[in-house]
Every structure is written in C-alpha cells, then in structure tokens.
Amino acid sequence: MPLTFAIIDDEPLAHTLIESFASKIDYLTHLGNCHNAQQAKDFLAQQRVDFIFLDIRMPQVSGFEFLQSLSNPPKVIIISAHKEYALESYEYAISDYLLKPFDFERFEKAVRKVSAELTANDNAPNPTKSTSNHIFIKDEKKHHKVPLTDIRYIKANGNFTSIELRDGHIISQMKISDFEKLLPAEIFCRVHRSYLVALNAVTLFTANELTLGDVTIPVGRVYKPNVRLLLANIEKTHQSSL
C-alpha cells in the first residue's frame, strides 16, 4: 500500500540517509522534514502522514515529550544512536526502533512492519469514517450539522480550517487531517497540503490546478496521484450518467 512519511531529527545527515533509503522503495512518499519538535508539531497540524521517523535526543523537547504532546500520533519509527532508550520507547506504542547507524535492509524491515500494521488497521472497522450524508463540524462554540453535498472544499489556514460551503463557510479548529479521515474518500480528495476538495464541485481541471466555480486550487506535487484518481472518478461518474 502507498505510504507517506516525514522525518523529525535535528541531524541533517539523518535526513539525507533516510531520504536516500526511502527513494529505493517505490510505495513511499516523503512529505516533510522537521528538525525540532515545534516544527514537527506545526507540520502535523497541517499535514497527515502515515508514519514518522523520530529522533529521541533533540534540542529543547525530546522525541518522547513530543509524542506525549500528540493526541493522535501517526505510526512511529524511532531512530536513535542510543540503545538505552529502546525499552522505554515501546511504552509509546512505536512500530520499530532503528539504532544508528542502520543499513538499508534494517530500514526496509521497519518500513514493512509499519505497512503491515496500517494494512491491518485498514481492514478493521473504522468508526470515525462518515457513513451518513452529513457530518458535524465544530467551531469555537457550536457543532454544525452539514450535509456532505454542501461542502465545496476545505482549506487549512494556520491554526484554523475554513470549510467552504455552497452558501457560506465555517471556521473550525479541527485539522484538515481530521476532515481527511472523517470524509469518504470516494467523494472528497486531498489535492494539496492545504486543500481537500469535493468531487462534485470540480468544474475544470489541469495537471497543476483545479477550478471550483470561481475558485482555483493548486495541486501539490505529492498529491498528483490523488488527483489522477479524482479525474478517473469524474470520468466514471460522467459515463454512468450517459
């Protein structure tokens, strides 16, 4: 299965090595590099990834402290030069522990373990995915019941998310990654780190951007496979209506 990941480590050489190894595995997509916990927290607030490579010893905030700060962390592969943290790390439900220096064979084994865990999760019932024709969206004080057909697109905007409707919009503190998990993939598609669009709202498209009426939305490089799937679904819907 395709997997997305980010690297969180204060050592540039670690980023270079992981990127090199990952480039040899065709189902991996690298979405981000963070060099401290604050960068990582900001990144994960805007971008959902399947798993992270996480160093333990980082300035100011350690890898363990960073994990404790996350309410819904992705899968985690620890990368560390210190074997004495291995036992403690498993208290955080990590997937694997890579002791630096590690070779490609050991790297690939850890990635396969994450893939197996995520595949098992996908096959389990998912109570958070919307199976009705509406969702509830929380703003600062209220929960709004919104029909799925009313949503045109969702945009991440700093610490907030803007849900653009056919008639108005809602500003929410929910993350765009929360909406990506909640909304059905056959109707909504992530096309950019900041945008999630409704299939039926797309009126024009090219390889690099989508048009939704009077709004133009960019297509991120790493999301182009999502857009190809989106276009295939549009074509399929069009043919079935003929």
Side-chain angles (χ1 to χ4, degrees):
M1 61 180 293
L3 297 178
T4 58
F5 73 92
I7 306 167
I8 306 169
D9 195 313
D10 61 324
E11 296 181 0
L13 287 177
H15 290 255
T16 301
L17 178 64
I18 292 171
E19 290 173 20
S20 175
F21 284 170
S23 69
K24 300 177 183 179
I25 303 177
D26 58 8
Y27 59 84
L28 291 184
T29 299
H30 176 210
L31 293 187
N33 296 75
C34 305
H35 295 86
N36 58 58
Q38 187 57 56
Q39 286 181 2
K41 200 162 187 177
D42 293 343
F43 174 83
L44 292 178
Q46 300 292 330
Q47 176 67 62
R48 186 182 72 85
V49 294
D50 293 309
F51 71 101
I52 56 176
F53 292 98
L54 176 65
D55 189 20
I56 295 175
R57 283 193 173 181
M58 294 189 294
Q60 299 180 334
V61 178
S62 73
F64 290 149
E65 291 170 331
F66 168 70
L67 287 179
Q68 288 175 336
S69 73
L70 300 180
S71 58
N72 186 27
K75 294 291 184 182
V76 180
I77 296 176
I78 293 291
I79 48 174
S80 177
H82 306 278
K83 63 182 179 180
E84 62 267 27
Y85 297 121
L87 184 61
E88 181 183 356
S89 70
Y90 285 94
E91 296 178 10
Y92 298 88
I94 69 160
S95 296
D96 209 342
Y97 191 103
L98 290 179
L99 187 62
K100 300 176 182 177
F102 49 85
D103 58 18
F104 175 74
E105 183 179 0
R106 182 65 183 87
F107 175 90
E108 186 179 29
K109 181 179 179 180
V111 171
R112 286 200 306 268
K113 188 172 181 181
V114 169
S115 180
E117 291 175 354
L118 290 170
T119 299
N121 290 345
D122 284 347
N123 291 333
N126 184 0
T128 65
K129 183 70 74 172
S130 174
T131 57
S132 64
N133 59 2
H134 67 271
I135 60 171
F136 284 91
I137 299 175
K138 183 181 183 301
D139 65 12
E140 187 175 357
K141 298 179 180 179
K142 304 174 184 177
H143 285 79
H144 301 263
K145 182 179 179 180
V146 179
L148 299 184
T149 53
D150 279 1
I151 301 173
R152 297 177 65 213
Y153 65 93
I154 296 170
K155 179 182 179 181
N157 188 9
N159 294 325
F160 298 91
T161 302
S162 177
I163 300 86
E164 299 298 326
L165 308 175
R166 296 188 182 279
D167 184 17
H169 67 274
I170 299 171
I171 302 298
S172 174
Q173 290 182 314
M174 294 172 63
K175 301 175 185 176
I176 193 170
S177 58
D178 294 332
F179 286 104
E180 188 175 12
K181 295 175 184 177
L182 186 63
L183 293 168
E186 65 272 16
I187 302 176
F188 293 87
C189 180
R190 185 78 172 267
V191 300
H192 187 276
R193 64 179 299 174
S194 299
Y195 289 96
L196 183 67
V197 304
L199 170 68
N200 62 7
V202 177
T203 56
L204 186 68
F205 52 82
T206 69
N208 298 313
E209 62 185 26
L210 302 175
T211 300
L212 286 69
D214 58 349
V215 176
T216 299
I217 291 176
V219 175
R221 179 180 59 82
V222 299
Y223 295 98
K224 287 191 176 183
N226 293 1
V227 175
R228 285 195 290 268
L229 179 60
L230 171 70
L231 301 186
N233 286 339
I234 291 175
E235 181 65 22
K236 183 178 179 180
T237 301
H238 174 71
Q239 290 178 354
S240 64
S241 65
L242 296 179

